[in-house]
Amino acid sequence: MCEFKHTHNNLKKISFMILEFDYLKKFKCTSYDCINTCCSGWDIHVDEKTFSKIQNSKDPKIENFFLNKLKKSNNKNFAAEINTNKNKRCIFLDNKNLCKIQKNIDDRFLSETCKTYPRREVAFPDSKFFSATFGCP
């Protein structure tokens, strides 16, 4: 089942349609009970807004937590990417596959990639389609 949403921008008089499957609204990560991990085997990018929030933090706890854990991204669309270990696992994963950023800091410091996964957005000029990747069971 899916839902259609129409939005209207009064300034430009543009109608925009959003298509989203119902299961995405109900999705909850099973974290350490999951047989898979979304934080392994790929480059985890950090968007400019999140990177700037980390860089501009005056909190020593934030500064120390992220110190040497981010590197410049090779992808020009992102400010940085999260370092991984030799097995290509995110260095913010603990031994139960839980995110140390969420556990120890604050989810406001999660990149858009981490906040939205496994959701996937496909944008068209007058609509957006939301689905999910096959990374989660």
Side-chain angles (χ1 to χ4, degrees):
M1 189 56 96
C2 62
E3 176 180 320
F4 293 95
K5 296 179 187 175
H6 288 279
T7 60
H8 298 280
N9 182 331
N10 290 333
L11 298 175
K12 295 182 182 176
K13 304 272 186 204
I14 297 173
S15 180
F16 199 80
M17 181 175 60
I18 299 173
L19 176 65
E20 181 178 31
F21 290 99
D22 289 337
Y23 72 89
L24 283 176
K25 293 179 198 164
K26 299 172 188 168
F27 174 81
K28 297 273 191 252
C29 178
T30 59
S31 62
Y32 60 86
D33 288 333
C34 185
I35 58 171
N36 195 9
T37 178
C38 57
C39 307
S40 179
W42 58 300
D43 296 333
I44 304 168
H45 297 287
V46 179
D47 56 283
E48 184 64 47
K49 183 179 175 185
T50 305
F51 186 68
S52 181
K53 191 182 302 181
I54 293 166
Q55 292 280 335
N56 295 323
S57 174
K58 304 287 188 239
D59 185 339
K61 180 181 177 183
I62 305 287
E63 291 174 2
N64 290 331
F65 183 81
F66 285 99
L67 185 67
N68 299 321
K69 294 184 177 117
L70 302 176
K71 62 184 176 184
K72 183 171 173 34
S73 177
N74 292 327
N75 184 322
K76 66 179 181 172
N77 296 316
F78 298 96
E81 66 183 61
I82 297 171
N83 288 330
T84 56
N85 67 17
K86 65 181 180 183
N87 297 325
K88 202 110 167 102
R89 269 175 68 86
C90 175
I91 58 169
F92 293 121
L93 278 181
D94 69 11
N95 60 355
K96 291 185 176 182
N97 281 342
L98 298 175
C99 178
K100 294 177 190 175
I101 298 172
Q102 289 179 302
K103 280 177 54 178
N104 302 331
I105 301 297
D106 188 320
D107 62 4
R108 291 177 301 143
F109 290 92
L110 287 173
S111 71
E112 283 301 310
T113 302
C114 298
K115 283 180 194 172
T116 59
Y117 192 87
R119 293 158 188 87
R120 194 179 88 127
E121 175 185 313
V122 180
F124 298 99
D126 59 350
S127 61
K128 284 185 185 179
F129 174 72
F130 292 98
S131 66
T133 65
F134 292 109
C136 295

